Amino acid sequence: MKTLRKALTIIAITFTLGGVVEPLTAPVPDAQAKSVKVWIAPHHGFRYHYDKTCRGLSNAGKLKHVTKKWAKSHHYTLCHWEK
């Protein structure tokens, strides 16, 4: 009976501390996750696209790969096909 109580106590402590320790060991987002790349057609409007083969890029002659932050700062908006 004492071994069962000891085992249950250890299990309870493990789950209790597991909930406390979890937020401390959460993965830190890396720099690549912060800089999302998008596609733009510099000579055709002001929309950005996550997918290079998006329907909105079908008539674009030249494509450019930029960060989403750069596109937004230059007044590009998300393509309405990708909303």
Side-chain angles (χ1 to χ4, degrees):
M1 190 69 172
K2 285 185 177 182
T3 56
L4 180 61
R5 183 180 298 161
K6 191 173 187 178
L8 289 175
T9 305
I10 291 173
I11 291 172
I13 290 172
T14 303
F15 283 117
T16 304
L17 291 179
V20 173
V21 176
E22 188 66 32
L24 299 176
T25 60
V28 178
D30 58 359
Q32 193 174 33
K34 291 180 184 175
S35 60
V36 176
K37 294 285 192 168
V38 294
W39 292 96
I40 62 168
H43 304 295
H44 294 280
F46 285 94
R47 301 280 186 171
Y48 64 86
H49 311 263
Y50 291 112
D51 188 12
K52 186 178 180 178
T53 61
C54 176
R55 185 175 174 183
L57 290 170
S58 61
N59 291 327
K62 181 182 174 186
L63 297 179
K64 190 174 178 183
H65 209 200
V66 297
T67 62
K68 182 178 175 183
K69 183 178 180 180
W70 184 93
K72 285 191 153 213
S73 69
H74 286 81
H75 306 289
Y76 281 80
T77 56
L78 180 60
C79 172
H80 64 276
W81 294 109
E82 297 189 35
K83 285 186 178 180

